[in-house]
Amino acid sequence: MKNTNSRIFNLRFFSAILPAVFALLLAAGCASGPKDKTDVTDTSIPPIWLSNPDAAYSSSRYVSAVGSGTDRDAAEKSALTALTAVFGQSISSDTTVSSRYMDSVKDGILQDNSASHSIDENITTAVAMDTLVGAEIKETWTDTAGKYTYAIAVMDKPKTAVLYTDLIKSNDNLIESLLNIPQKDKGTFSEYSRMRMATDTADANEHFINVLSVVSPASAATMRSSRVSGDVYRVKATSAAAAIPVSVSVINDSENRLSQAFSSVFSNSNFRIAQKGERYKLDAEVSFSEVILPSNPNKFSRAVLNARLIDMESGEVLLPYSTSIREGHTSLPEAENRALRSLAVKIESDFAESFDSYLQSLIK
């Protein structure tokens, strides 16, 4: 039985890219949020869409897919997964929609630059609900034995084309805004962050255009003809980073393990490592204290690291970072060495994540 209260269901699209593609495209027709689930029917006559989806939902208007499962939820998820597979060939690309792009949308950056208020509101709703936008479970059917339930998921091509077109245009506006760099931000982390975000947004648009090509090839061709590749902005981001030197100084750092770890975080983003006298400086100090564990013959050392990324021009602490770790060995010096090695590993993961979050915050 066809249900007039069908809803948009939650589903993470491909692990890397499609949570961004469909979670960000909810349009005005979906502004009220998800509706109630379809009631499962139990008729002895299989619906026509089970064997011939095109007969019920013409391929000239819809993209559709059928799924099955032992219960309604499993059938719906199966149908939505099958629907995403329809786009599989078209959305494949050498680049992926980065988590930075998705996070920026969730943080409100894309909405602030949206082409319309309806896009603004509904993207926010879609992200909050983590929905597959434009996809609906139109009907479900359970066999007479009650063992299997079948569901059909559909997407309205004209409506989906409008959603993608609007989002691509909104992204274009965002890129234009990002490239309009204030003079005070040139040669700073902010300039790099802007170029990196422009890169991520351009990459996202490439995927959105690929998906658009399934529902509206003509619209996709028009969009693609005037497209600037994300690679263009990627080169500019790399050049911006290379022009920004960062110095690193760590007190009590034997063999410069921690200095090298901090430096690798910056150099991995293409920033130039300098000796001293630069605008940006990472100041850090590590201290050790012995930890006595009763009944344990080994020696233990706790290493405490305190670091600050400083803008030497303003004196502002841009990013404080503190962590500690405990390691043991038969000798105290070796326990300290182990602690240093563990801190270095931690810097390359934890501090790298904190620094990336800081760069992301500059866009806000």
Side-chain angles (χ1 to χ4, degrees), residues 20 28 32 44 63 128 146 180 186 205 241 285 303 312 328 330 352 356:
S32 59
S44 59
V63 180
N180 186 21
K186 292 184 177 180
N205 266 356
E285 182 175 3
M312 301 302 290
T330 55
D356 192 75

Side-chain angles (χ1 to χ4, degrees), residues 340-359:
L340 273 175
R341 289 194 292 269
S342 295
L343 278 179
V345 172
K346 203 170 185 180
I347 288 168
E348 292 177 350
S349 58
D350 290 359
F351 177 75
E353 183 176 341
S354 296
F355 181 57
D356 192 75
S357 296
Y358 163 72
L359 292 175

Side-chain angles (χ1 to χ4, degrees), residues 19-41:
V21 173
F22 288 106
L24 307 179
L25 301 178
L26 191 59
C30 305
S32 59
K35 300 178 181 179
D36 295 335
K37 286 187 177 181
T38 308
D39 292 331
V40 177
T41 61

Side-chain angles (χ1 to χ4, degrees), residues 268-288:
N268 285 342
S269 293
N270 299 304
F271 293 107
R272 179 164 55 88
I273 305 303
Q275 295 301 314
K276 58 182 179 178
E278 303 299 341
R279 175 165 182 171
Y280 296 112
K281 181 180 182 182
L282 189 287
D283 261 342
E285 182 175 3
V286 60
S287 60
F288 302 91

Side-chain angles (χ1 to χ4, degrees), residues 105-153:
V105 173
K106 292 176 183 179
D107 289 339
I109 296 170
L110 179 59
Q111 291 94 307
D112 290 343
N113 291 274
S114 293
S116 71
H117 184 65
S118 62
I119 292 289
D120 216 22
E121 290 182 342
N122 291 297
I123 286 177
T124 304
T125 303
V127 170
M129 295 188 309
D130 190 25
T131 55
L132 174 61
V133 177
E136 296 178 280
I137 299 297
K138 284 294 188 181
E139 301 183 61
T140 62
W141 179 79
T142 301
D143 62 22
T144 54
K147 291 184 177 181
Y148 290 97
T149 296
Y150 300 85
I152 182 166

